[in-house]
Amino acid sequence: MKRHFLAAAILLILSFSIYAPSLFYPFVYPDTIHIAQNRFITDASYISMYFSSDFYVAGNFGGWVPYYRPLFPLSFLIDYKIWGMDPMGFRLTNILYHGFSVISLYILCMILFNDRRFAFLSSILFALHPIHTEAVDWISGRPDAQAGLFYILSFVFYLSARRSPGRTNILLGISSAAFFLSLLSKEMAVTLPFVLILYEIIHGSRFTVHSSRFKWGYILPFFLVLSIYFLMRYIAVGAFFGNYPPQIITDIPPDSGDVFVRLMTALNITVSYLRLLILPVDLKTIYAVPIPNSLFDAGMLISIVVIVLIFAILIPAYYRSKMVFFWTFFVLLTLSPVLLPLVISLNFAQTLMSERYLYIPSIGFCILAGMLLVKIFDKIHAGIIRMAIAVTVLFLITAYGLMTIQRHSAWKSEEAFLKSAAGASPDSALARYNLGLWHYTNKQMKEAKAEFKQAFMLNKNKGAIAIASEEKFDSLFDETLTPEETLSTLRKAFILKQ
């Protein structure tokens, strides 16, 4: 037991240390909207509103956004009551969510495998993986880390319930409650009941306390919780699902195309997500995803080959290594909430792809990586090769840590955040427009004009906005304008089309 406490302490310290530099960063967009300019997170009298309405409307986003995440503003309210408007307090909460997720993952691995080496390695990989920087460094990315913590805890208590006949009902109740909290943090958690079903089908025979047969009694509470969540969501938001409101400046064509185009786009994004998990380089705060025009596009052909290879591995894995099958399928299943809607419409979110969406799926990847590395190490007895494997693991951990530290710089200021987005995605109309707006409000008119011109040229929603006239557009970049005048004056340069 002492060793487990020591491992947990090391993991928590490591998680805190790797993200500590971000504690000193200010609010960045849209933290200012969610927090600094949002009176609804400063008074506890608004708590009922978090659960009965769409916080994003209450948060002055303007327009209907089909999100229902009441624990998101509630956590901000708690932060505000403790820290006031000090960004350090809000950032510390994000880091703690991530740190406790890492410890929970260690516990999950110990329950599943009872191997400290594997559990510790998988948890370290999860703690340091650069793909998590958006969910942890970015205060507004909190819902993913928040949902991830409760998601893992729900799985932990579920497995404990299956192994503890005298406390089954209590532990199942705790597991269901954790699942409910995960759902109230972010809708990505909807996959958990299906993950549990898959686990029972594949590994249920390992738990022989009650019966080796699959029992719906263990799963039904989670579907009951899911039904309650969707009912609450429908009452609050007015829809079970929904598209993001039409954007004037966007990287997504307003016409989603036919279902075949949407399916090809979803496949491309799936492969891009898998690449980011395996090789987390060229990370971006905004991704301008190209829409494939043909099945024979080079990118599309690569995606098809990768998907075929994955299923070619999955089928024999079911018979040879069910854990490999389960955790590989876990990654794909937990990505489904952001992939399946694309088949219906490409406009279900402001962007087609975001790194924070990988927070929960990365659980499966880190467990797979830790499992395979330990298995390879155990099967090879040659000392030199084993040392080479150990060095490889150390290199991987070090590389993850250094890439995560380097990635912090994207959130060190509003300017750094917006310039990072536009620099990494120069073909993104949204990134260029946001940077132009920052230049404009800071009276850097020459830079603002250049970014706006690029944004309008790249904009996929050509029918929504146009420059009123070149002369009028040029005349508006007047450095004598006060900050209060700049935004209202800027709007006069554009014609909004109906």
Side-chain angles (χ1 to χ4, degrees):
M1 185 62 71
K2 289 183 179 179
R3 291 183 178 180
H4 294 316
F5 279 118
L6 178 61
I10 293 173
L11 290 170
L12 185 60
I13 292 171
L14 181 63
S15 302
F16 178 83
S17 300
I18 203 71
Y19 281 97
S22 69
L23 285 172
F24 304 97
Y25 298 162
F27 294 128
V28 299
Y29 178 83
D31 300 338
T32 47
I33 299 174
H34 285 145
I35 303 169
Q37 300 173 8
N38 188 6
R39 72 181 189 278
F40 297 102
I41 59 104
T42 63
D43 193 329
S45 64
Y46 292 113
I47 290 178
S48 61
M49 184 194 69
Y50 304 161
F51 293 86
S52 61
S53 65
D54 185 350
F55 167 67
Y56 284 80
V57 173
N60 300 318
F61 262 70
W64 181 77
V65 182
Y67 292 161
Y68 182 64
R69 302 168 185 173
L71 289 196
F72 182 35
L74 181 60
S75 68
F76 284 164
L77 173 66
I78 295 171
D79 281 339
Y80 175 78
K81 292 300 182 181
I82 298 173
W83 307 100
M85 282 296 175
D86 187 349
M88 180 180 289
F90 290 82
R91 293 188 175 279
L92 176 61
T93 301
N94 275 30
I95 295 173
L96 290 176
Y97 272 121
H98 181 58
F100 288 125
S101 294
V102 173
I103 294 174
S104 300
L105 181 61
Y106 175 82
I107 297 171
L108 176 64
C109 292
M110 286 303 302
I111 293 175
L112 288 170
F113 301 98
N114 195 29
D115 186 326
R116 283 194 299 271
R117 297 172 307 158
F118 160 68
F120 195 66
L121 176 57
S122 295
S123 301
I124 287 179
L125 293 175
F126 186 79
L128 302 181
H129 202 299
I131 205 65
H132 297 151
T133 50
E134 186 173 75
V136 183
D137 279 335
W138 192 29
I139 300 175
S140 295
R142 176 180 298 181
D144 292 272
Q146 195 173 36
L149 171 60
F150 294 123
Y151 195 101
I152 300 171
L153 286 175
S154 182
F155 203 170
V156 166
F157 282 106
Y158 177 83
L159 294 176
S160 299
R162 293 291 277 117
R163 298 164 65 104
S164 306
R167 298 181 298 162
T168 298
N169 292 336
I170 294 175
L171 293 172
L172 274 179
I174 297 174
S175 177
S176 300
F179 173 50
F180 190 48
L181 293 175
S182 187
L183 285 170
L184 295 180
S185 300
K186 191 169 184 180
E187 56 278 2
M188 287 289 287
V190 297
T191 58
L192 182 60
F194 305 97
V195 167
L196 298 181
I197 288 175
L198 179 64
Y199 187 86
E200 286 289 350
I201 292 173
I202 295 175
H203 297 289
S205 59
R206 295 183 61 188
F207 301 103
T208 57
V209 173
H210 298 286
S211 170
S212 63
R213 295 175 300 172
F214 179 83
K215 285 197 171 184
W216 276 104
Y218 294 109
I219 305 296
L220 286 177
F222 295 90
F223 281 100
L224 176 61
V225 168
L226 193 61
S227 300
I228 293 171
Y229 162 76
F230 275 117
L231 178 61
M232 293 174 61
R233 178 188 176 95
Y234 185 81
I235 292 173
V237 182
F240 295 116
F241 306 98
N243 285 351
Y244 208 83
Q247 301 295 294
I248 295 174
I249 303 292
T250 180
D251 297 315
I252 307 171
D255 180 6
S256 297
D258 58 35
V259 66
F260 186 66
V261 170
R262 298 195 296 270
L263 180 60
M264 289 193 297
T265 303
L267 286 176
N268 277 348
I269 292 174
T270 301
V271 174
S272 295
Y273 277 136
L274 296 177
R275 195 274 298 172
L276 288 173
L277 286 174
I278 298 169
L279 190 64
V281 297
D282 192 26
L283 302 182
K284 305 172 183 178
T285 51
I286 293 180
Y287 284 81
V289 179
I291 307 300
N293 297 315
S294 168
L295 187 64
F296 300 102
D297 286 353
M300 191 66 241
L301 290 174
I302 293 173
S303 297
I304 292 173
V305 170
V306 171
I307 295 297
V308 170
L309 286 174
I310 289 173
F311 280 95
I313 295 171
L314 273 178
I315 294 172
Y318 179 82
Y319 299 99
R320 295 180 183 179
S321 178
K322 290 187 176 181
M323 274 296 185
V324 172
F325 176 89
F326 173 77
W327 289 110
T328 304
F329 207 87
F330 175 94
V331 174
L332 298 174
L333 183 58
T334 52
L335 272 174
S336 62
V338 294
L339 294 174
L340 292 181
L342 294 177
V343 181
I344 301 172
S345 171
L346 297 182
N347 293 284
F348 88 103
Q350 190 175 24
T351 57
L352 290 176
M353 183 176 170
S354 291
E355 293 165 15
R356 62 188 181 275
Y357 298 161
L358 284 170
Y359 195 86
I360 292 177
S362 68
I363 295 168
F365 170 78
C366 292
I367 289 178
L368 271 174
M371 181 194 315
L372 293 175
L373 287 170
V374 170
K375 279 189 174 184
I376 293 172
F377 185 83
D378 287 343
K379 286 185 177 182
I380 294 174
H381 301 289
I384 296 178
I385 299 178
R386 297 189 83 180
M387 183 175 291
I389 295 172
V391 170
T392 300
V393 171
L394 183 61
F395 173 79
L396 181 63
I397 291 172
T398 304
Y400 273 14
L402 292 176
M403 285 190 287
T404 295
I405 292 172
Q406 186 275 331
R407 185 66 180 143
H408 293 328
S409 61
W411 284 272
K412 68 180 180 181
S413 68
E414 183 95 341
E415 179 181 6
F417 176 74
L418 296 170
K419 285 186 175 179
S420 172
S425 299
D427 294 332
S428 167
L430 183 62
R432 303 298 290 268
Y433 178 78
N434 288 341
L435 180 57
L437 197 59
W438 182 86
H439 282 305
Y440 193 78
T441 54
N442 284 276
K443 307 188 74 171
Q444 298 172 4
M445 299 305 184
K446 181 179 178 181
E447 293 84 353
K449 182 177 180 180
E451 294 299 333
F452 282 136
K453 285 286 185 73
Q454 285 296 315
F456 296 141
M457 183 176 67
L458 295 167
N459 187 25
K460 295 296 190 294
N461 194 1
K462 301 294 185 183
I465 190 170
I467 297 175
S469 69
E470 288 292 335
E471 293 78 16
K472 191 171 184 180
F473 184 75
D474 291 339
S475 68
L476 290 175
F477 293 92
D478 183 353
E479 295 184 1
T480 64
L481 295 174
T482 65
E484 292 75 17
E485 293 173 323
T486 54
L487 290 178
S488 60
T489 306
L490 177 63
R491 296 189 183 98
K492 298 175 183 178
F494 311 136
I495 298 174
L496 299 181
K497 302 178 180 179
Q498 300 297 325

